[in-house]
Amino acid sequence: MTTTRVLVDGSPGLSVRADDRGLLYGDGLFETCALRDGRPLLWARHLDRLALGCQRLGLPAPDREVLTRESLGLCAAVRRGVLKLLLTRGRGGRGYRPPAVPTPTRIVSLHPLPDYPPSFWTDGIELRVCATPLGDNPRLAGVKHLNRLEQVLARGEWDDPAVPEGLMLDTRGRVVEGTMSNVFAVTRGGLLTPALERCGVAGVMREEVLALAADLAIPARIGEVSLADLAAADEVLVTNSLIGLWPVRRVAGRSLAPGPMARRLLEALRRRGAV
Ligand SMILES: Cc1ncc(COP(=O)(O)O)c(C=O)c1O
């Protein structure tokens, strides 16, 4: 799939108003979904997170049926690709104060799937540690909002295409997530993933992996994670909606081999139709 198609408030087009608060302040939310055979994967989870984000930002939740209809219309006949949903608080004049009754802007767009080498799934990736920290903000933690400057700065720290992901720490040096993914450490057959109460995005694939772990009776814990925890882990994994899961073969000065947990989870995710 090479074409990009976009619907703005239900109509084909590429333009939004120059006074849209999404553009002015990053006042909005987005979702990035993998597409398979005309269907966005983990669709209910994406819509649920969008609805939760709307609650947190005080935005009217979009109509699930409208979003589903527009998305399915755009995805029809697309075998593999990326569907992006973006919702802003709409137009709002000058000044930060949100309008009492917002009229959100809704953008649904279709994109090609990133072209990652198959070795990222089979042999694992190198995960570099970024210098840009994530700031604490419990009101925004977990939400996939449009303010992504921390990730932009972190992703600008390196340009080696052989290193696809960077690890982000909070200001106290605790592991939070990747620039575009969530992180799991595997120790003695159990999973550990960072708590996201102060910062980070609560990934849809992270939720799916935690649900899968519960189904497979794999112990999973959410808590504090240090670089030393990653360096001491049996396996390290990163997850997001597009990649599903990549094993990590190098992080924090340590080399790791892709292990049985990565293979087991990835196979199970494929069986569930999550990737
Ligand atoms: C900063 C950040 N964290 C985590 C994720 C993983 O989220 P998801 O599993 O919903 O794709 C993403 C995805 O883009 C992200 O940008």
Side-chain angles (χ1 to χ4, degrees), residues 128-188:
R128 75 184 298 282
V129 181
C130 296
T132 308
L134 287 166
D136 282 5
N137 191 336
R139 280 197 72 182
L140 291 175
V143 177
K144 194 153 177 180
H145 55 73
L146 288 175
N147 290 249
R148 290 288 140 216
L149 275 179
E150 292 169 326
Q151 284 76 19
V152 170
L153 293 184
R155 192 58 189 87
E157 289 180 25
W158 84 100
D159 65 1
D160 178 354
V163 180
E165 182 56 315
L167 189 65
M168 297 193 73
L169 313 178
D170 66 14
T171 50
R172 287 162 59 188
R174 291 170 296 211
V175 172
V176 181
E177 61 181 354
T179 63
M180 57 166 191
S181 63
N182 293 110
V183 182
F184 288 84
V186 182
T187 309
R188 288 187 294 279

Side-chain angles (χ1 to χ4, degrees), residues 30-33 42 46 49 134 144 148 151 165 168 177-183 196 200-207 239-244:
F30 71 110
E31 292 292 327
T32 307
C33 320
L42 301 177
H46 283 290
R49 181 174 60 187
L134 287 166
K144 194 153 177 180
R148 290 288 140 216
Q151 284 76 19
E165 182 56 315
M168 297 193 73
E177 61 181 354
T179 63
M180 57 166 191
S181 63
N182 293 110
V183 182
L196 302 174
V201 170
V204 155
M205 193 55 73
R206 173 181 182 268
E207 291 299 316
T239 64
N240 78 20
S241 296
L242 299 186
I243 62 171

Side-chain angles (χ1 to χ4, degrees), residues 115-124 246-247 266 270:
D115 193 16
Y116 299 119
S119 66
F120 286 175
W121 284 269
T122 52
D123 304 340
W246 282 335
L266 193 53
R270 285 179 177 146

